[in-house]
Amino acid sequence: MLSTLLKQIKQYTLPSIVTPICMIGEVICEMVIPILMARIVDKGIYGNNMGVIYSTGALMVVIAILGLLAGLGGAYYGSMASTGFAKNLRKAMFDNIQTFSFANIDKFSTSGLVTRLTTDVTNIQNAYMMTLRMAMRAPASLVIAMVAAMMINAKVASIYLVAVIFLSVLMVYIMNKATKYFKQVFEKYDELNESVQENVSAIRVVKAYVREDYEDNKFKKAALNIYNMFVKAEMNIVYISPVMTGTIYICILLVSWVGAHMIVAGSLTTGELMSLLTYCMTILMNLMMLGMIFVMLTMASASGKRIAEVIEEKASITSKPDAIRSVADGSISFEHVDFAYNQTSEEPVLKDINLEIKSGETIGIIGGTGSAKSSLVNLISRLYDVTKGTVKVGGVDVRDYDLEVLRDQVSVVLQKNVLFSGSILDNLRWGDKNATEEECKRACRMACADEFIEKMPEGYNTQIEQGGTNVSGGQRQRLCIARALLKKPKILILDDSTSAVDTSTDAKIRKAFAEEIPGTTKLIIAQRISSVQGCDRIIVMEDGKVNGFGTHEELLQNNDIYREVYESQTGASGDADFDSAS
């Protein structure tokens, strides 16, 4: 984990080195001050020597200024290093997420990734800043102060040593108890983020069903879980402060009592006692600072493991070094294909699929809910890899293609239509960033999206709100189809992508496909037989298997499921659908 995180320091190595050097410089300056104060008291005031007072005082001012500059340098370079480190961590995670296959993404929840990119990185940033500055300053200050105190009077300094050992043992014990709670806190943050995300994205449904109170209670529960975990952790840590404060006062009393007797005995000067008291406060306050650092590092350790999980996650689907970089045509072949989302599943989702689809064919795919229609087409563009068998595009195993090349030639309009904030043109150009406005309009005409775009006040420059909430479901589908067409793919997959448009518009879209992109292989998943009956051939899926494959007329003759659903949808008999028919 540590090596993974430290790799992200990169260009901030120099500030990371300069910061602790500045902090050590500041500590040295601070530790010299008490010695000079003792000199002023013993040789200046008691020696009635104004020259010593002036010269030593001037030296103290110079050293104080140097200490101030060192402190400012530590703060500046520490901020640069920690914020840069956080920036690189976020970028490393986000970049790696972009390489994830669907299988990788399934391992991490959206809310969990958001927590890692925000709360967890902030914890690491604060801990790194604390480490560069305080974690270097506090031990250095403690050691130098202890050595200086020992040099002045070892007997009195031994009081500090006993206190340091006692408090160190106490802090280690308390931190070990608190650590387990901090590790659990961030899992609760995931739950909190998930509650917020679901509520905001589904706010229309929440209001439609008057479930505000339910969502409010759900959020309160998630927030209360975080509160309880932090309370448990803090209840362990809270004992550190009063124990340390009590120890500091006891040390001051003991040093004052022992020191007073030694002054009377003539074995210690007043100036030396003042220096020892200053070092006493320095040692114990820095020990308290170390306690705070331990708390921060404990939280950062839990966050670091979560961040490293994302950065170290290897994409399950990658391109070969010698990957093929061109797709010959849009032919598709499934050869004894099995597929399971989880490799340990007892039963695969797809079972022994064998299909041959010619380039330029229009293929309909129908079947009941859960019949694995979407799973079938997801294998074509390698959104998932087969568990067994081979999927070929253009006569080549899809695993032999460069991923970008393959996915540029296999355009998919998924069931969930996603638009991004920006203009309609910006969204369309996801298909081709260099597309002209005329090319965008042509794609919209094929998808029958021009009908509603031209009625908008700003036309193609109309702004789409986040998630496409200011357009209807049918309009969203047509824009997504137009976006896919701009890629000019060899294979176009429509995964139930016309379910929200009326049958007339659906027919227009299919007609435009036949006339405008005859060379493109088209796979159309639909629930309406009217959407696929004009296809060259139709695949009937049932329980992860191909139940039938042929033309509309052939399936009516020899496929019971297809015939029963066709009759139900055309009013010929009963009220069956795919689920009941299968």
Side-chain angles (χ1 to χ4, degrees):
M1 175 195 79
L2 195 58
S3 61
T4 299
L5 299 181
L6 292 180
K7 286 178 184 176
Q8 304 307 320
I9 295 175
K10 296 178 181 176
Q11 68 267 38
Y12 300 100
T13 302
L14 182 60
S16 297
I17 295 172
V18 171
T19 300
I21 292 174
C22 288
M23 300 316 297
I24 291 173
E26 184 184 26
V27 168
I28 292 172
C29 292
E30 287 183 0
M31 294 303 105
V32 171
I33 296 294
I35 297 174
L36 296 178
M37 286 177 61
R39 176 182 170 81
I40 287 176
V41 172
D42 293 336
K43 295 185 178 181
I45 297 175
Y46 284 107
N48 197 26
N49 187 333
M50 293 301 294
V52 171
I53 294 175
Y54 287 140
S55 60
T56 306
L59 182 58
M60 287 176 67
V61 171
V62 172
I63 291 174
I65 292 173
L66 291 175
L68 174 64
L69 293 175
L72 290 173
Y76 175 76
Y77 287 107
S79 298
M80 181 187 296
S82 60
T83 53
F85 182 32
K87 179 198 72 174
N88 287 347
L89 283 175
R90 289 192 180 96
K91 187 175 187 304
M93 279 195 288
F94 192 80
D95 286 350
N96 202 37
I97 290 169
Q98 303 312 302
T99 70
F100 285 178
S101 67
F102 280 20
N104 293 115
I105 293 171
D106 291 343
K107 289 178 63 176
F108 301 96
S109 67
T110 303
S111 57
L113 290 173
V114 170
T115 303
R116 286 168 167 85
L117 284 161
T118 53
T119 304
D120 286 320
V121 171
T122 300
N123 286 337
I124 294 291
Q125 177 181 335
N126 293 337
Y128 192 58
M129 166 71 90
M130 187 78 78
T131 300
L132 290 179
R133 298 188 65 206
M134 296 300 108
M136 185 59 67
R137 187 186 194 285
S141 182
L142 193 151
V143 170
I144 293 173
M146 183 63 75
V147 170
M150 286 287 183
M151 291 174 63
I152 294 172
N153 192 291
K155 181 179 178 181
V156 178
S158 62
I159 297 172
Y160 313 154
L161 187 59
V162 172
V164 168
I165 294 171
F166 166 71
L167 290 174
S168 297
V169 171
L170 178 67
M171 280 196 297
V172 170
Y173 172 72
I174 290 175
M175 290 305 150
N176 283 335
K177 289 189 67 178
T179 299
K180 64 178 182 179
Y181 295 114
F182 284 121
K183 288 179 179 178
Q184 296 173 22
V185 161
F186 299 107
E187 295 176 4
K188 302 301 180 184
Y189 269 121
D190 290 350
E191 294 177 9
L192 184 72
N193 282 341
E194 184 178 2
S195 175
V196 174
Q197 179 191 344
E198 283 187 345
N199 181 270
V200 173
S201 60
I203 192 65
R204 288 171 174 78
V205 178
V206 172
K207 291 187 175 298
Y209 284 86
V210 196
R211 298 283 280 178
E212 291 91 344
D213 289 342
Y214 171 81
E215 288 293 312
D216 188 47
N217 290 331
K218 183 179 172 183
F219 179 83
K220 284 180 180 178
K221 184 178 178 181
L224 184 62
N225 286 334
I226 294 175
Y227 165 80
N228 289 334
M229 283 298 171
F230 267 119
V231 167
K232 288 178 180 178
E234 295 294 343
M235 284 299 291
N236 286 279
I237 296 170
V238 75
Y239 297 113
I240 292 178
S241 182
V243 171
M244 281 191 165
T245 302
T247 304
I248 290 172
Y249 289 140
I250 291 170
C251 282
I252 291 172
L253 289 172
L254 288 174
V255 169
S256 300
W257 187 73
V258 173
H261 281 77
M262 294 180 73
I263 289 173
V264 172
S267 58
L268 189 71
T269 67
T270 303
E272 287 174 336
L273 179 59
M274 290 177 60
S275 296
L276 286 168
L277 287 170
T278 302
Y279 286 132
C280 174
M281 290 296 295
T282 299
I283 290 169
L284 297 176
M285 291 305 294
N286 278 287
L287 196 61
M288 188 176 289
M289 182 65 69
L290 281 174
M292 294 173 60
I293 293 170
F294 284 143
V295 174
M296 185 70 73
L297 290 177
T298 300
M299 295 176 64
S301 175
S303 292
K305 288 176 183 176
R306 288 160 53 83
I307 291 170
E309 282 178 359
V310 178
I311 296 176
E312 292 171 356
E313 177 76 11
K314 301 296 182 185
S316 60
I317 297 177
T318 55
S319 302
K320 295 180 178 180
D322 57 345
I324 297 171
R325 302 193 64 82
S326 64
V327 179
D329 56 49
S331 61
I332 304 167
S333 172
F334 286 78
E335 299 175 0
H336 301 289
V337 169
D338 283 6
F339 169 69
Y341 287 102
N342 190 330
Q343 300 300 318
T344 60
S345 300
E346 294 181 3
E347 190 77 13
V349 176
L350 291 169
K351 306 153 198 170
D352 196 29
I353 303 296
N354 289 281
L355 292 169
E356 288 289 339
I357 299 171
K358 298 175 184 177
S359 181
E361 273 194 297
T362 300
I363 303 295
I365 304 175
I366 61 174
T369 304
S371 60
K373 303 184 296 296
S374 296
S375 300
L376 180 75
V377 297
N378 283 341
L379 300 178
I380 298 171
S381 57
R382 272 196 90 192
L383 297 178
Y384 292 97
D385 264 342
V386 298
T387 306
K388 180 182 175 183
T390 305
V391 176
K392 292 181 179 179
V393 170
V396 177
D397 190 327
V398 292
R399 290 168 289 197
D400 293 334
Y401 282 114
D402 177 84
L403 272 175
E404 288 189 13
V405 170
L406 175 65
R407 289 174 182 171
D408 268 341
Q409 295 302 323
V410 182
S411 194
V412 184
V413 183
L414 299 170
Q415 282 179 311
K416 187 177 180 181
N417 299 282
V418 178
L419 296 175
F420 300 88
S421 54
S423 69
I424 289 177
L425 281 175
D426 291 337
N427 274 275
L428 293 172
R429 284 174 178 147
W430 273 69
D432 179 1
K433 62 182 179 181
N434 298 315
T436 64
E437 187 170 339
E438 184 52 44
E439 287 175 323
C440 291
K441 289 180 178 179
R442 178 177 177 273
C444 287
R445 283 194 293 272
M446 281 193 284
C448 295
D450 60 321
E451 299 173 358
F452 68 87
I453 295 174
E454 290 172 359
K455 293 177 182 177
M456 292 180 168
E458 296 181 61
Y460 286 83
N461 293 311
T462 299
Q463 292 296 305
I464 299 294
E465 294 178 5
Q466 186 178 7
T469 55
N470 60 330
V471 290
S472 70
Q475 290 171 340
R476 229 178 1 252
Q477 284 187 336
R478 283 179 277 175
L479 286 173
C480 289
I481 293 170
R483 180 173 64 190
L485 290 171
L486 274 174
K487 292 179 72 174
K488 302 179 180 68
K490 288 187 168 65
I491 299 172
L492 174 64
I493 299 171
L494 303 180
D495 189 353
D496 206 15
S497 302
T498 57
S499 58
V501 301
D502 58 83
T503 53
S504 174
T505 303
D506 187 11
K508 289 179 183 177
I509 293 172
R510 285 185 280 110
K511 182 182 178 184
F513 286 173
E515 295 175 353
E516 300 289 340
I517 50 173
T520 298
T521 304
K522 298 166 281 292
L523 280 72
I524 303 172
I525 296 176
Q527 293 294 331
R528 296 186 300 228
I529 284 184
S530 61
S531 297
V532 298
Q533 70 180 55
C535 295
D536 297 319
R537 289 186 290 170
I538 302 163
I539 300 170
V540 180
M541 297 292 297
E542 182 191 23
D543 193 27
K545 297 178 181 178
V546 175
N547 183 271
F549 186 28
T551 64
H552 171 68
E553 290 76 16
E554 289 171 346
L555 291 173
L556 282 177
Q557 290 293 322
N558 56 36
N559 189 274
D560 293 338
I561 294 175
Y562 187 85
R563 182 172 57 254
E564 185 176 347
V565 175
Y566 171 77
E567 290 173 350
S568 71
Q569 291 187 0
T570 56
S573 69
D575 58 351
D577 58 19
F578 282 109
D579 295 315
S580 61
S582 60

